[in-house]
Amino acid sequence: MSAANPAAAPAMPVRAKAAAKAQPVTVAGRRRRGPTPARILAFVILAVFALAWLTPVLWAALTSFKTEAEAAAMPVTIVPENGFTLEAYLNVLREGLVPRWAWNSLITSAAVTLITVAISSLAGYALSRLRFAGRQMVVMLIVASIMIPGQILIVPLFQLMLSLNLVDTYWGIILPQVVAAPMVFILKKFFDQIPFELEEAALMDGASRLRIFWSIVLPLSRPILGAVAIFVFIGAWNNFLWPFIVVNDSNLMTLPTGLQTVISAYGIQYAQNMAQAMLAALPLIVVFMFFQRQIIKGIATTGIAGT
């Protein structure tokens, strides 16, 4: 039996390194595909759509930093001759109660989010796991209620708040917004995908449904609960019509409603209107920047769940 050639031993690692370099980089066990004409075309189309969406936002931001004369001047200029200014923002802050309105929006939006997530998760779990007479009819009614425009319910809701003496109160703003049929349906469909076997052991140990819901189901549902909470918060923050109708006291107005009361006596003030829009959108931009990963993960999880 011949001895192994010692000179050939170090040659193997060299060839292995060369072969490893020749292999394409893999991500999560998949080969990373290089640019193809279809991928480049898709990227260009998405970039065009993104630019089309961002153009009005950028235009509003630039206009908000102009003087009223430059904002209304023709021809339109992107960069004003005299430079940008904070005049429009200072006028809005001077003439209104922006900090107070922002605080009201934060309180009402947070309360709406907490109550809506609690009610929707309990209702969705009950419709997913409990078997009772009329269950399918309840699910059908929830789905059907999604197609009802919210504006149709304005008059009966206002009459209800008036009879309960909740007009011009925080609860008058909060309570009509806590019933969200789409969120109930989304959570119900997500709970349907959780294996029932995970709950059987707890049932055999004598755990109640509420304990199972709190200790098993909710921890498994954090992505979808986070997404639902963010969507509800954004909707409550942007809600203009209902707070505008139910609140007349300027100290109780939310930010979108209060900013509309800051109207100059000189007609339409374009720079001031754009400054109001940017002030109203700024908190939502911050929320999205901090929670965009949860939003994307929640949407992806919801899609896997079949909603």
Side-chain angles (χ1 to χ4, degrees):
M1 186 175 180
S2 61
N5 187 4
M12 294 300 297
V14 174
R15 288 198 297 268
K17 290 180 181 179
K21 290 181 180 180
Q23 292 294 329
V25 179
T26 60
V27 178
R30 296 175 298 176
R31 285 190 175 183
R32 188 176 65 183
R33 294 175 294 178
T36 61
R39 290 169 64 86
I40 295 175
L41 178 62
F43 178 81
V44 171
I45 293 175
L46 292 176
V48 170
F49 277 110
L51 182 62
W53 182 87
L54 288 174
T55 298
V57 179
L58 294 176
W59 184 257
L62 292 174
T63 304
S64 67
F65 289 103
K66 297 180 181 178
T67 62
E68 294 297 343
E70 291 169 334
M74 297 298 292
V76 178
T77 58
I78 298 178
V79 179
E81 296 180 359
N82 299 325
F84 295 106
T85 177
L86 296 174
E87 178 184 346
Y89 288 95
L90 295 177
N91 289 336
V92 173
L93 294 175
R94 267 196 309 263
E95 298 175 12
L97 302 172
V98 174
R100 177 68 181 179
W101 296 335
W103 177 250
N104 293 338
S105 291
L106 180 61
I107 291 177
T108 56
S109 300
V112 169
T113 302
L114 291 175
I115 299 174
T116 301
V117 171
I119 293 176
S120 300
S121 58
L122 288 170
Y125 181 73
L127 293 173
S128 174
R129 288 294 191 260
L130 303 183
R131 298 295 180 264
F132 53 89
R135 172 176 166 273
Q136 293 298 329
M137 181 61 66
V138 173
V139 175
M140 291 175 61
L141 290 175
I142 290 175
V143 175
S145 66
I146 298 175
M147 298 181 289
I148 300 176
Q151 292 80 359
I152 296 177
L153 304 176
I154 290 294
V155 173
L157 284 175
F158 182 79
Q159 292 177 342
L160 178 61
M161 295 299 106
L162 193 62
S163 62
L164 296 175
N165 295 322
L166 294 179
V167 175
D168 276 336
T169 63
Y170 283 142
W171 287 113
I173 302 174
I174 295 169
L175 290 179
Q177 301 185 68
V178 299
V179 179
M183 303 307 164
V184 174
F185 182 71
I186 288 174
L187 289 170
K188 187 263 181 189
K189 296 296 291 182
F190 182 87
F191 293 150
D192 287 343
Q193 306 303 314
I194 297 178
F196 183 72
E197 290 76 10
L198 296 175
E199 306 175 28
E200 287 183 344
L203 287 173
M204 295 178 63
D205 290 338
S208 63
R209 281 289 182 184
L210 186 60
R211 179 61 183 275
I212 294 173
F213 173 75
W214 180 262
S215 301
I216 298 177
V217 177
L218 287 185
L220 295 174
S221 307
R222 288 176 183 172
I224 190 64
L225 290 175
V228 167
I230 293 171
F231 294 149
V232 172
F233 181 87
I234 292 175
W237 183 281
N238 284 332
N239 194 350
F240 168 79
L241 182 59
W242 176 248
F244 177 76
I245 290 174
V246 78
V247 171
N248 296 315
D249 187 355
S250 60
N251 291 319
L252 293 174
M253 289 181 177
T254 58
L255 190 59
T257 305
L259 287 175
Q260 298 303 316
T261 64
V262 185
I263 301 175
S264 174
Y266 300 98
I268 299 176
Q269 302 290 297
Y270 295 105
Q272 191 166 301
N273 288 343
M274 294 302 102
Q276 294 173 5
M278 297 308 297
L279 285 174
L282 182 60
L284 297 183
I285 296 174
V286 174
V287 169
F288 181 80
M289 289 177 62
F290 277 98
F291 298 102
Q292 58 180 324
R293 184 171 300 178
Q294 285 80 357
I295 295 175
I296 296 172
K297 187 176 181 181
I299 294 174
T301 307
T302 306
I304 294 173
T307 57

